Amino acid sequence: MDYKDMKFEISRGCDRGLCRRGCGRQDRQLNTFDWLADVPGNAEDTDLVEVQFKNTRKGYYHNVNNLDLKKGDIVAVEASPGHDIGVVTLTGRLVNLQVKKANLKSADDIKRVYRHAKQVDMDKYREAKSREHGTMIQSRQIAKDLGLKMKIGDVEYQGDGNKAIFYYIADERVDFRQLIKVLAETFHVRIEMKQIGARQEAGRIGGTGPCGRELCCATWMKNFVSVSTNAARFQDISLNPQKLAGMCAKLKCCLNYEVDDYVEAGRRLPGKDIVLETADSDYYVFKTDILAGLVTYSTDKKMAANLETITAERAREIIEMNKRGEKPLTLTDDSEQKGAKGPIDLLADADLSRFDKSKRKKNKHKHNDNRNSANSDRQAQQNNKPAQGQPAFKNQNRRNNYNAPRRKEDNKE
């Protein structure tokens, strides 16, 4: 059989179910991992499906026509007016949980899925999407001419091109009634204005954070909680605006992730204004390691001098002793010094170039040994070299016997 007649099939991620079940990397923003995808009867449990549109906009719809919908299918859904085109991102039981999380006000917000998108639907959809960037640039100029203090961050056309959603950012309340009239006359579509915050705008645009991963607001965060500088203070983070600000120029949302643990661990530490009194001198708080429960004290209130690091339990013991009028000899007791096992740096006293030096010394010794061996061989050859008129002997003893004087018997002969 000729190899040209053989048919090879390339397996893609969708064929293996990666994009359907969300087992691979994030193929869309706010992607949800469907860990119930392999459970029998999961798809028949509910007729609700999650459909995602441009960027992070999602909607929930009833599959009233009992279509065989899977993750990644492009469908036409009900809209007001007309229809919209989106991608199915979730089916089954998890959609019920997502609906509760979305806090839909009424059941009327859940519309219907019409059909799988046809070629005619896709042609209209691509034509509408091609006008979004030009519409955004032109609408910004219109808002500037009207003197409105707002920024139009994005424009999204509906799948059939009959409606456009304008996402804008404004610090103050804006009267955009005149703007809507001008936009409707200019673009001949139905206008919907939707205000978003700086964090939502960053989530819609997407990007990579300073941690090297995709932005949380673009991958999984849906509800944005206010972040204050107290979160940085509790975690003992330097109040540097350049390091605390995210891609949206606001405080990073990740500052709230571990603040509860730091608050709980900080309650076990002694107060920063408490002075520990010992027989030698008084000690002031210099720095603290909140999660490790360690406190570093200094004999000077404003600078580092005679630093001593003790545990929070030892600090509380000294505080209780000071309240009773007692003063310990030192901050650290003998048991703590003997039993303390801090982190050990294995390369603290090591030289990183020690291997190169040893190799160089080894080669040097080897070269010297070769030279000494060569000199000794040369000297031995010179010693063993026979004199002129004498035969060469391989054995030194035979040579010595040859050079020895002959016996009297031999001389008589």
Side-chain angles (χ1 to χ4, degrees):
M1 183 177 180
D2 191 3
Y3 73 93
K4 295 182 180 180
D5 299 333
M6 299 177 63
K7 295 182 180 179
F8 297 94
E9 182 179 357
I10 300 176
S11 178
R12 298 188 298 266
C14 295
D15 299 334
R16 299 194 305 269
L18 293 181
C19 65
R20 291 182 183 178
R21 299 179 176 86
C23 298
R25 65 178 298 277
Q26 295 284 354
D27 55 348
R28 288 186 173 273
Q29 293 179 339
L30 299 184
N31 194 15
T32 304
F33 172 68
D34 190 3
W35 51 276
L36 295 175
D38 297 333
V39 177
N42 177 51
E44 293 80 11
D45 189 69
T46 179
D47 64 341
L48 289 173
V49 294
E50 182 185 73
V51 181
Q52 184 168 348
F53 304 95
K54 183 179 180 181
N55 295 331
T56 58
R57 186 169 74 91
K58 287 186 177 183
Y60 301 93
Y61 300 88
H62 285 293
N63 185 11
V64 293
N65 297 325
N66 296 326
L67 302 175
D68 184 17
L69 298 179
K70 298 178 181 178
K71 189 172 183 178
D73 293 344
I74 303 177
V75 293
V77 298
E78 181 183 2
S80 57
H83 68 274
D84 204 352
I85 303 296
V87 180
V88 177
T89 55
L90 193 63
T91 60
R93 303 174 187 175
L94 287 185
V95 183
N96 294 327
L97 301 178
Q98 293 292 93
V99 170
K100 294 180 180 179
K101 192 176 181 180
N103 294 326
L104 296 180
K105 297 180 180 180
S106 62
D108 298 335
D109 296 337
I110 303 178
K111 296 180 174 60
R112 298 173 296 170
V113 177
Y114 285 150
R115 60 186 179 275
H116 285 90
K118 300 179 180 179
Q119 186 62 36
V120 179
D121 300 330
M122 296 303 300
D123 293 340
K124 292 183 179 179
Y125 174 77
R126 295 189 183 95
E127 181 182 358
K129 292 299 177 183
S130 63
R131 295 185 291 166
E132 289 181 349
H133 183 71
T135 301
M136 181 184 65
I137 300 301
Q138 192 173 355
S139 61
R140 287 181 178 178
Q141 186 62 37
I142 295 173
K144 183 178 180 181
D145 296 339
L146 295 177
L148 300 177
K149 296 181 180 180
M150 59 183 297
K151 173 191 174 183
I152 298 179
D154 194 10
V155 176
E156 181 181 1
Y157 271 92
Q158 197 170 271
D160 55 0
N162 295 329
K163 179 182 175 182
I165 303 175
F166 290 79
Y167 297 92
Y168 71 94
I169 302 174
D171 297 332
E172 302 176 356
R173 186 170 181 176
V174 180
D175 185 8
F176 45 76
R177 289 177 292 182
Q178 183 64 26
L179 176 64
I180 292 178
K181 293 180 181 180
V182 177
L183 293 178
E185 294 174 358
T186 305
F187 303 110
H188 305 286
V189 292
R190 185 175 179 178
I191 306 298
E192 179 181 350
M193 305 296 296
K194 184 174 292 187
Q195 185 177 4
I196 59 175
R199 290 187 171 89
Q200 291 174 322
E201 182 188 24
R204 292 183 62 83
I205 297 174
T208 304
C211 59
R213 303 186 63 179
E214 295 183 64
L215 297 178
C216 298
C217 53
T219 52
W220 61 272
M221 286 189 66
K222 295 183 179 179
N223 300 324
F224 298 95
V225 183
S226 61
V227 185
S228 63
T229 55
N230 290 331
R233 291 191 180 95
F234 287 137
Q235 302 176 62
D236 201 10
I237 301 176
S238 176
L239 299 179
N240 188 349
Q242 296 180 352
K243 294 184 179 180
L244 296 181
M247 303 294 291
C248 57
K250 302 290 184 180
L251 293 177
K252 296 178 182 177
C253 297
C254 55
L255 292 176
N256 284 341
Y257 294 170
E258 300 178 354
V259 65
D260 295 335
D261 295 335
Y262 275 89
V263 171
E264 184 178 355
R267 294 173 182 172
R268 307 189 189 101
L269 299 178
K272 295 184 178 181
D273 55 343
I274 299 178
V275 181
L276 301 186
E277 300 177 359
T278 62
D280 298 335
S281 61
D282 297 340
Y283 286 87
Y284 304 89
V285 176
F286 180 71
K287 65 177 181 178
T288 58
D289 191 342
I290 301 176
L291 296 182
L294 301 177
V295 187
T296 303
Y297 286 90
S298 172
T299 55
D300 195 308
K301 191 174 183 179
K302 297 182 180 180
M303 60 180 295
N306 302 324
L307 297 180
E308 292 286 348
T309 302
I310 60 175
T311 62
E313 292 78 5
R314 175 60 179 170
R316 285 196 294 269
E317 291 178 5
I318 299 177
I319 293 173
E320 294 297 331
M321 295 175 64
N322 294 154
K323 289 180 180 180
R324 297 193 300 265
E326 302 176 1
K327 295 183 180 181
L329 297 178
T330 58
L331 288 183
T332 58
D333 55 357
D334 297 337
S335 60
E336 185 177 357
Q337 291 179 356
K338 293 180 181 179
K341 293 183 179 180
I344 302 175
D345 189 1
L346 299 178
L347 298 178
D349 301 330
D351 187 4
L352 297 180
S353 61
R354 62 187 185 280
F355 300 105
D356 300 335
K357 289 183 179 180
S358 63
K359 185 176 181 180
R360 189 160 53 248
K361 290 181 180 179
K362 184 177 180 181
N363 294 335
K364 185 177 180 180
H365 292 324
K366 185 176 181 181
H367 182 67
N368 293 336
D369 294 341
N370 294 336
R371 292 181 59 183
N372 296 333
S373 177
N375 294 334
S376 61
D377 294 342
R378 192 180 300 109
Q379 187 67 25
Q381 291 177 3
Q382 291 178 359
N383 296 334
N384 297 334
K385 185 177 181 181
Q388 187 174 2
Q390 293 182 356
F393 294 93
K394 294 183 180 180
N395 195 329
Q396 185 66 21
N397 295 329
R398 296 180 62 186
R399 179 181 177 181
N400 294 335
N401 295 332
Y402 179 83
N403 294 330
R406 296 185 176 183
R407 292 179 296 177
K408 295 181 178 181
E409 294 79 1
D410 298 335
N411 292 332
K412 290 180 179 180
E413 293 178 358

